[in-house]
Amino acid sequence: MSNFQEIIKEICDENNIKFELISKNWIIKLEKNNLIRYIVGMRFPLNDYASAFICNDKYATYEALTNAKIPIVEHKLIYNKKFIKKEISDLESEAEIEKYVKKYDRVVVKDNMGTEGINVFLCNNTEDVLDALSKIFELRQTAVISPFLKIANEYRCICIDDECKLVFEKIRQSGEWRHNLSNGAIAKIVYDEKIRGEVAQFALNVMRKLNLRFASVDLIRVNNEISVLEVNSGVCMSKFMRQVDGGRKIAKNIYCEAIKKMFE
C-alpha cells in the first residue's frame, strides 16, 4: 500500500470503518453502518462531480474563476487537431502563438489535465511552444499556454468546509523555475498570522466560488498581488508528509476529518 492508503486504513481501523482496496488499488472502498463511500485516487466524495471536474481542467478553472472575478493566472486553450478539427482554440495559428510569446517574452505550456508538474514546459520562443505542444498532443486532446511569471511566493492551502486546515509555502530549489514538490521544492508551513490569514481567506473564497468542500488551492504572489495558479480536487500531501516534521500527523488529521464528513 502507498503511504496515503496506509493512513486511510489507520483512520478506518480507529473509527470502525471497513477498508478495502479494489480496482488494482486505485479505489478505496469504505463501509460503515451500511453506508458505502469511495475514494478514487486521492479524490474524496465530498465535492460534487461538476465542481471536481472543473478543478481537473486548468482552462475550465480559469474560466470559472475569471467569471467569478477571482484573480487567476491567464490560460489560453489550444486543441489537438487530431481530435478536434474546428478552429476554436484561443490561439489557432502559429502566427497567433508567436504574437502571444512576444507579448510575454517567455511562456509556460502545460497539459490541460495534467498533475504533479508532468508535461509542463518553459518556452522561450514559438519553436519551443510548438515542440511542447507536439509532446503533449501525443496523448492529450488539450493544452494550455500561460505567461511566465516571476513568482515571489507560492502557497498551497488545504481547505475543508469553509475552514483552511493547512497553509504551506512551496520553496523551489536553486536553478529550478517550478515550485512543484515533485520537482524538488521544499514545503514550509506558514505560521506568520498575517500571511496565513491573507492567503487562507483568499483560498476560502476560491472554494466558495467553485462550490468545493475539500480541495487544495495553489496561490502565487507576484508583485505583491495574490492570484490563483490552480485548484486540485485530489488532496495530495505525500511529499509534505515526508518533508515536514509532524507532517504525517497533520495529514492524517485532515484526512480523518474528511472521512468523518463522508459518513455524516
Side-chain angles (χ1 to χ4, degrees):
M1 287 190 292
S2 67
N3 289 335
F4 171 74
Q5 291 166 344
E6 288 176 358
I7 286 177
I8 301 304
K9 188 175 188 308
E10 286 177 18
I11 294 168
C12 289
D13 291 344
E14 293 164 7
N15 290 275
N16 195 30
I17 299 170
K18 182 180 177 183
F19 171 100
E20 184 181 1
L21 290 172
I22 60 176
S23 189
K24 301 187 185 300
N25 296 349
W26 177 238
I27 298 172
I28 304 175
K29 178 183 177 183
L30 308 183
E31 186 172 358
K32 183 176 183 178
N33 298 331
N34 295 319
L35 294 176
I36 295 174
R37 301 288 185 264
Y38 296 100
I39 299 171
V40 181
M42 292 185 179
R43 293 184 174 91
F44 289 64
L46 293 175
N47 303 314
D48 66 50
Y49 177 84
S51 295
F53 192 85
I54 287 172
C55 295
N56 299 341
D57 183 317
K58 292 175 174 53
Y59 184 72
T61 302
Y62 167 72
E63 286 283 285
L65 291 179
T66 299
N67 178 266
K69 295 180 171 51
I70 300 289
I72 180 170
V73 175
E74 179 180 83
H75 287 66
K76 296 292 186 182
L77 184 66
I78 302 178
Y79 286 99
N80 186 343
K81 292 296 186 182
K82 294 179 195 173
F83 298 99
I84 300 169
K85 304 298 183 183
K86 294 180 180 179
E87 295 187 357
I88 53 176
S89 295
D90 290 330
L91 304 174
E92 191 61 45
S93 66
E94 187 173 324
E96 289 176 320
I97 291 173
E98 183 175 7
K99 183 178 179 181
Y100 191 83
V101 174
K102 286 182 177 179
K103 179 180 178 181
Y104 292 109
D105 190 35
R106 290 196 289 176
V107 298
V108 177
V109 176
K110 301 180 183 180
D111 174 358
N112 185 44
M113 307 290 282
T115 59
E116 297 185 353
I118 299 169
N119 283 329
V120 177
F121 304 91
L122 177 60
C123 301
N124 297 305
N125 51 52
T126 305
E127 185 178 344
D128 287 349
V129 172
L130 296 176
D131 183 58
L133 291 173
S134 176
K135 291 174 181 176
I136 293 169
F137 287 161
E138 287 178 5
L139 296 172
R140 297 292 194 175
Q141 294 188 22
T142 55
V144 287
I145 182 169
S146 302
F148 173 72
L149 302 172
K150 293 182 180 179
I151 298 171
N153 310 93
E154 181 172 332
Y155 307 99
R156 172 158 291 182
C157 305
I158 297 177
C159 307
I160 306 180
D161 282 346
D162 215 30
E163 286 188 73
C164 189
K165 295 295 181 178
L166 173 66
V167 177
F168 64 87
E169 184 173 358
K170 297 191 282 185
I171 302 171
R172 68 175 183 266
Q173 297 276 39
S174 177
E176 173 61 64
W177 62 275
R178 292 168 293 187
H179 290 74
N180 303 85
L181 298 187
S182 56
N183 287 311
I186 301 299
K188 182 180 179 181
I189 296 176
V190 175
Y191 291 109
D192 184 285
E193 291 185 6
K194 182 179 178 181
I195 295 173
R196 192 190 190 284
E198 177 188 22
V199 171
Q201 286 306 310
F202 197 109
L204 289 171
N205 195 29
V206 171
M207 295 285 288
R208 286 189 288 269
K209 296 298 184 182
L210 292 178
N211 192 33
L212 293 166
R213 294 188 61 197
F214 185 36
S216 64
V217 181
D218 286 350
L219 303 175
I220 60 172
R221 191 187 299 275
V222 178
N223 297 325
N224 209 32
E225 297 289 335
I226 295 178
S227 59
V228 178
L229 181 62
E230 64 182 37
V231 184
N232 301 285
S233 63
V235 180
C236 177
M237 290 183 274
S238 301
K239 296 283 194 307
F240 169 84
M241 288 189 288
R242 291 197 288 269
Q243 292 183 0
V244 174
D245 288 341
R248 191 181 190 279
K249 182 178 180 181
I250 292 169
K252 182 177 177 180
N253 288 339
I254 292 172
Y255 287 137
C256 183
E257 182 172 348
I259 287 172
K260 288 179 178 179
K261 287 178 179 292
M262 286 161 49
F263 286 95
E264 288 180 349

